Amino acid sequence: MIILEKRPEPSRLLSISTPVFAVIVTMIAGGLLFAALGKNPVEAIRTIFWDPLFGEYAFYYRPQLLVKGAPLVLIAIGLSLGFRAGIWNIGAEGQYIMGAICGAAAGLAFYPSESILIFPLMVIAGALGGWAWAMIPALLKVRFGTNEILVSLMLVYVAEQLLASMSLGLLKNPQGFGFPGSRNIAEWNAANSWIAQDYGMHWGVVAALIAVIMAYVLLNRHILGFNIRLTGEARRAARFAGVNPTRLILFCLGTSGMLAGLAGLFEVSGPSGQVSIDFNVGYGFTAIIVAFLGRLHPVGILLAGLLMALTYIGGDIAESQMGLPSSAIQVFQGMLLFFLLALDLLTNFRVKFASKGTA
Amino acid sequence: MTATLLSIRGLTKAYPGVVANDSVSFDIQQGEVHALLGENGAGKSTLVKMIYGLVKPDSGTMTWRGAEFAPPEPRAARASGVAMVFQHFSLFDALNVAENVALGMENPPPMRDLAAQIRSVSENYGLPLDPDRIVGDLSAGERQRVEIIRCLLQDPKLLIMDEPTSVLTPQEVEILFRTLNKLKSEGTAILYISHKLEEIRTLCDHATILRLGKNVGTCIPSETTAREMAELMVGDTLHTPTRTATEDGAPVLRINDLSLSSANPFGTRLKNISFTVHAGEILGIGGVAGNGQDELLAALSGEATSDTNTITVNDAPVGHLGPNERRALGILAAPEERLGHAAAPDMSLTENALLTGALRQKLTKNGFVNWNATRAFAERIIKAFDVRTPGPDTAARALSGGNLQKFVIGREVLQNPKVLVVNQPTWGVDAAAAASIRQALLDLAATGAAIVVISQDLDELMEIADHFGALNEGRMSEIHPALGLTIDEIGLMMGGADETEGAAA
């Protein structure tokens, strides 16, 4: 019989190494899945993990890693602050959309100005848009005690409707021959977020790195970060330590909304280029996986974001080259979170094999 | 008739890094009350867990009425006739008494029969309890009765009781003792675990004393003084705190007609509480658990805020202030629940030092934590209060209860409070640690701090308090000088007449 015994202290070694184990186990289980679908498992895994980095066309895929990784990391950093404190913002996707809409709208209002103030203005508007969208569940929670998980999640669908309405109405490109979608912001010098498009560098990458560093400093050096961790670990102790739960909820939801909004703004003014109906591709939801895969630790999230971006890109390649169904790729990505959470147990528990009866 | 019921020979159980029981041997006779004495960590819990089948011994044997006895699980032990009342109750607040009893039985009878059985057992053994009442509404003493009755319904031959009186009023203790004596006269053996030496002297026939996992002696409690037993337990002479003579200091903490509802739906509402604590005074607040102790601590620590003028410190109103604003004024507190309230279990001692020390120890600058200073503060606490731990990086939950309590109390005492409020400062703490905690409180009072000690340990309150009051259903009794109070007077302050008996009649 297998018994789980609680460790007196969480194992540091395992807490660092379980994500690696999770990736390996996912590769094995994913391989079995691909084999069951009649594909060569070794080739599939190699296509997903190796080809984007070192394959023949890696020069094309490597910049994609930054493009896809940056919004994931930026959003996940924000989410991780709340998750650490037990505040669950599930609606980053909606905040991401609102950031894009607000940022793009603020910029497009001055089209075709080439003022250097345009882009900073859009950044501020994008951050505010995401922040404001996240403040809805935050205020409802502190005022009426609503569940932030449900409210933030439902607001994603509201934001999606708004996105469609904006693409077809207010923000529609007047010179777009009636096609839905805004003007192409990426082609507008004063407003695009690219630094070096050939390398996948845009301001979102910079913002993600800054967010990682700031979050690290906040959690490890600042009393506010300490209070966030304390609230997550022992709510009563946090109350005793003088943490104001209301302020903490507003801060965590507000910050995560702001970062998601920024991610949306950088995306709309760079890689995506325009506000369109299908602008959002699920970064806000995937970032939840990234946050947990990275153990809610800033550096872990950075690595997890890159890994997740890799499976996205590799998954696309596997889809087009090997004909793997996209649902199989999604299952594969889901497995990663599943195994991570399952192996997570080992950090706090020791597995013992014992003969029956001693329990 | 004194046939041997359970005989234990050379029982040994080792955990990684510690030998919990080192060849312990003793016998329990039929129909005797046998005391198991020892400090925290002496190995009492491990020993009874082996008897109850929760833990398997590494070596040694047990014989039950001459036959080999090695219960692989509690069910087997119960089938042989071993029953156990745990220190921490395993009851569901939202269910009624009969439902809770049924949940703990192998084959519960239909609910109506069970209710009748509960009534008859409770009458037989003088444990008043209504099977239809919701457990959430019961006092700690009544909850314990639920556990006891659950055991008695199994008709046990050996009843193990783990510190049963820690939550009872003196009157409830008397009722319990009557019940235990009745069980004893019917031939049931009782293994009685307690810290409270006077109780053991009045109740128990034999005592086995454990120290660091070893059986260090047996005695007949009625013929041994409490002090001798305590010395056997601790291994060296007890350091008894000395009451510091206090002169009348200036009033520091004033509570004026404080009424406050509890944040917890099963909590107790505080009703019209007023009292004053002077500089250098220790006010002891007794009362049975669940009568507003947690709520009073929260109201004083600032976790629950009240009207501005209901609490004043040195004439400054503080009722509306939160915990940190009060800390700035020198009002510190140490809650009862060590893990999860006074300390964060998974955080290191350094981080836990920051938890309440950030402000007064100036451990942050512009919001940034000075970890070196915090670590130094944690080390200072560890040193000054003899906290046994590998170091300040150890997680709080890895410490034993006594050591963590020393840390929690030390953390507040070293911040030079003007007012210190502690709830159950020595609950579950071994005698040596308890003595040093009490001494620290006395020393603090000698420096002119006003101290409020909320405790269910009356001996403790009598030892250190100048003045005594009791909480009953959220109301505060009159405050009396502690000197000269009799145990009967205290009992009346704690609950008036024996209400529980009246309620069930």
Side-chain angles (χ1 to χ4, degrees):
Chain A
M1 198 159 70
I2 301 170
I3 311 172
L4 291 173
E5 189 180 272
K6 187 148 187 169
R7 293 173 192 273
E9 280 191 86
S11 157
R12 300 227 170 195
L13 179 71
L14 278 173
S15 121
I16 294 166
S17 58
T18 49
V20 179
F21 282 132
V23 171
I24 294 170
V25 177
T26 308
M27 284 185 183
I28 295 168
L32 292 174
L33 171 78
F34 299 141
L37 288 168
K39 310 287 175 190
N40 179 348
V42 177
E43 196 191 333
I45 298 293
R46 201 201 65 215
T47 309
I48 295 173
F49 286 101
W50 183 264
D51 284 0
L53 290 175
F54 310 106
E56 201 180 339
Y57 300 102
F59 67 88
Y60 170 74
Y61 295 121
R62 277 187 216 137
Q64 285 295 309
L65 205 59
L66 292 184
V67 169
K68 289 212 173 4
L72 287 176
V73 171
L74 194 54
I75 300 172
I77 288 283
L79 294 181
S80 72
L81 297 180
F83 291 175
R84 282 244 179 167
I87 298 163
W88 307 102
N89 178 5
I90 305 297
E93 185 81 357
Q95 294 138 21
Y96 170 84
I97 293 171
M98 292 310 287
I101 293 177
C102 293
L108 288 169
F110 297 97
Y111 185 85
S113 160
E114 287 293 335
S115 161
I116 54 158
L117 295 176
I118 296 283
F119 189 64
L121 174 76
M122 288 168 66
V123 171
I124 293 167
L128 279 177
W131 174 82
W133 206 244
M135 285 318 269
I136 299 173
L139 289 171
L140 286 174
K141 183 178 175 71
V142 299
R143 188 73 188 80
F144 299 109
T146 56
N147 182 323
E148 78 277 16
I149 300 177
L150 289 174
V151 178
S152 64
L153 180 62
M154 289 191 294
L155 282 171
V156 172
Y157 305 105
V158 178
E160 281 180 344
Q161 296 308 312
L162 257 171
L163 177 70
S165 151
M166 287 294 163
S167 316
L168 298 167
L170 270 181
L171 291 180
K172 193 165 81 171
N173 185 355
Q175 293 151 349
F177 309 103
F179 285 102
S182 71
R183 288 182 195 276
N184 193 323
I185 302 167
E187 288 169 2
W188 176 17
N189 284 330
N192 83 64
S193 63
W194 287 113
I195 299 170
Q197 193 166 356
D198 293 344
Y199 298 100
M201 268 305 279
H202 62 94
W203 282 105
V205 178
V206 178
L209 288 175
I210 293 173
V212 167
I213 295 165
M214 299 267 279
Y216 185 86
V217 172
L218 177 77
L219 287 171
N220 291 290
R221 299 265 166 239
H222 200 276
I223 190 78
L224 182 59
F226 175 78
N227 287 342
I228 287 173
R229 289 191 288 134
L230 184 60
T231 304
E233 292 204 7
R235 206 159 278 262
R236 273 187 93 192
R239 191 87 191 84
F240 175 60
V243 179
N244 180 334
T246 302
R247 257 186 255 163
L248 200 71
I249 290 167
L250 296 179
F251 173 81
C252 287
L253 283 174
T255 308
S256 58
M258 195 179 81
L259 292 181
L262 280 174
L265 174 273
F266 292 127
E267 185 74 13
V268 79
S269 55
S272 154
Q274 60 170 174
V275 176
S276 59
I277 294 177
D278 52 1
F279 163 72
N280 61 313
V281 291
Y283 284 133
F285 293 118
T286 309
I288 298 170
I289 304 182
V290 169
F292 279 105
L293 194 60
R295 312 203 137 272
L296 307 182
H297 187 284
V299 178
I301 287 170
L302 180 64
L303 298 174
L306 291 172
L307 178 72
M308 226 39 216
L310 184 66
T311 66
Y312 262 98
I313 298 161
D316 278 350
I317 306 173
E319 256 180 78
S320 59
Q321 289 187 358
M322 300 182 62
L324 273 170
S326 65
S327 49
I329 302 294
Q330 284 168 18
V331 169
F332 183 74
Q333 287 163 348
M335 277 180 184
L336 197 55
L337 182 66
F338 174 81
F339 284 119
L340 181 86
L341 293 178
L343 289 169
D344 222 22
L345 199 73
L346 298 177
T347 318
N348 277 306
F349 291 87
R350 207 178 307 217
V351 179
K352 282 181 112 181
F353 298 93
S355 56
K356 202 171 180 291
T358 45
Chain B
M1 62 164 213
T2 50
T4 301
L5 179 69
L6 178 67
S7 169
I8 289 171
R9 288 286 167 270
L11 222 48
T12 300
K13 175 74 194 178
Y15 289 110
V18 59
V19 180
N21 283 139
D22 190 356
S23 57
V24 175
S25 306
F26 64 92
D27 294 331
I28 300 172
Q29 313 295 330
Q30 264 178 29
E32 75 159 351
V33 182
H34 194 110
L36 198 53
L37 256 174
E39 290 193 288
N40 266 55
K44 295 168 305 197
S45 300
T46 307
L47 186 62
V48 294
K49 277 181 186 163
M50 287 193 282
I51 300 173
Y52 195 55
L54 279 167
V55 172
K56 204 175 187 170
D58 295 337
S59 65
T61 56
M62 292 185 277
T63 29
W64 177 265
R65 290 177 162 161
E68 199 196 332
F69 181 63
E73 55 183 342
R75 207 184 322 172
R78 282 198 295 267
S80 309
V82 181
M84 181 157 174
V85 176
F86 289 90
Q87 193 178 355
H88 299 285
F89 308 141
S90 46
L91 299 173
F92 294 92
D93 277 354
L95 299 181
N96 72 24
V97 171
E99 285 162 342
N100 265 293
V101 170
L103 280 173
M105 295 177 79
E106 309 289 341
N107 302 304
M111 208 46 86
R112 202 184 320 152
D113 300 353
L114 184 63
Q117 281 181 29
I118 291 171
R119 275 207 188 83
S120 81
V121 170
S122 77
E123 273 166 33
N124 271 341
Y125 292 96
L127 291 171
L129 191 66
D130 179 352
D132 296 326
R133 283 184 67 193
I134 301 293
V135 166
D137 300 336
L138 300 183
S139 72
E142 289 170 313
R143 283 167 199 235
Q144 187 185 53
R145 287 178 201 163
V146 180
E147 296 267 359
I148 295 175
I149 285 174
R150 185 193 273 171
C151 290
L152 294 185
L153 285 173
Q154 298 160 21
D155 191 20
K157 305 289 172 285
L158 174 65
L159 181 63
I160 303 171
M161 304 205 76
D162 194 357
E163 304 206 15
T165 57
S166 55
V167 295
L168 303 182
T169 61
Q171 281 80 359
E172 284 176 324
V173 170
E174 252 177 61
I175 295 177
L176 176 69
F177 282 10
R178 259 183 265 149
T179 307
L180 295 182
N181 278 321
K182 183 151 201 280
L183 279 169
K184 172 181 151 182
S185 69
E186 290 172 359
T188 309
I190 294 157
L191 185 58
Y192 190 90
I193 302 171
S194 181
H195 289 308
K196 296 185 183 169
L197 303 170
E198 283 305 331
E199 263 174 38
I200 286 174
R201 292 193 59 216
T202 51
L203 182 72
C204 302
D205 305 309
H206 285 93
T208 296
I209 296 149
L210 294 182
R211 189 200 315 151
L212 300 173
K214 286 197 178 76
N215 183 347
V216 292
T218 52
C219 64
I220 296 175
S222 54
E223 295 167 9
T224 314
T225 66
R227 194 168 182 94
E228 283 166 349
M229 285 195 284
E231 283 173 10
L232 271 173
M233 241 166 76
V234 181
D236 50 36
T237 313
L238 262 181
H239 173 63
T240 315
T242 44
R243 174 189 287 269
T244 329
T246 51
E247 283 135 55
D248 275 324
V252 177
L253 174 71
R254 269 188 220 271
I255 314 294
N256 315 309
D257 198 24
L258 169 71
S259 295
L260 202 60
S261 38
S262 173
N264 169 0
F266 287 111
T268 309
R269 201 184 135 77
L270 297 178
K271 300 174 192 102
N272 309 97
I273 290 181
S274 298
F275 59 84
T276 304
V277 191
H278 300 82
E281 177 184 334
I282 298 182
L283 171 66
I285 297 181
V288 175
N291 273 300
Q293 284 91 337
D294 284 350
E295 288 78 6
L296 181 61
L297 183 115
L300 292 177
S301 73
E303 287 165 87
T305 50
S306 48
D307 292 337
T308 313
N309 282 308
T310 49
I311 303 172
T312 62
V313 169
N314 290 330
D315 295 327
V318 301
H320 59 296
L321 299 178
N324 276 328
E325 291 158 305
R326 295 197 196 185
R327 280 188 190 113
L329 294 169
I331 312 168
L332 305 186
E336 168 182 5
E337 186 65 43
R338 291 182 280 263
L339 287 174
H341 194 184
D346 287 323
M347 285 188 159
S348 71
L349 292 180
T350 302
E351 288 171 304
N352 273 300
L354 182 67
L355 200 147
T356 68
L359 200 71
R360 286 180 79 77
Q361 295 296 306
K362 301 192 173 58
L363 300 176
T364 61
K365 198 177 172 193
N366 300 325
F368 285 91
V369 179
N370 182 343
W371 284 114
N372 287 332
T374 309
R375 200 184 151 89
F377 178 49
E379 275 166 353
R380 206 147 62 81
I381 302 168
I382 291 170
K383 194 149 178 282
F385 280 79
D386 187 29
V387 179
R388 311 268 167 86
T389 169
D393 298 327
T394 314
R397 76 163 192 235
L399 266 66
S400 75
N403 276 313
L404 186 56
Q405 187 67 20
K406 284 197 275 189
F407 184 84
V408 165
I409 299 280
R411 182 178 67 187
E412 308 306 326
V413 168
L414 285 186
Q415 296 186 55
N416 300 320
K418 290 200 183 72
V419 175
L420 178 64
V421 186
V422 295
N423 189 4
Q424 297 275 60
T426 62
W427 186 78
V429 171
D430 63 70
S436 74
I437 288 172
R438 287 177 200 145
Q439 189 59 51
L441 294 176
L442 288 167
D443 292 346
L444 184 66
T447 67
I451 301 178
V452 178
V453 179
I454 305 170
S455 177
Q456 281 146 52
D457 184 344
L458 287 176
D459 294 336
E460 166 171 284
L461 292 178
M462 289 304 101
E463 202 172 282
I464 62 173
D466 310 301
H467 287 80
F468 178 83
L471 277 170
N472 181 29
E473 294 191 351
R475 284 199 181 76
M476 180 71 98
S477 72
E478 268 186 64
I479 309 281
H480 294 288
L483 205 65
L485 278 180
T486 66
I487 208 84
D488 281 338
E489 285 169 328
I490 291 168
L492 286 172
M493 288 167 79
M494 283 168 69
D498 188 358
E499 288 183 338
T500 43
E501 209 159 27

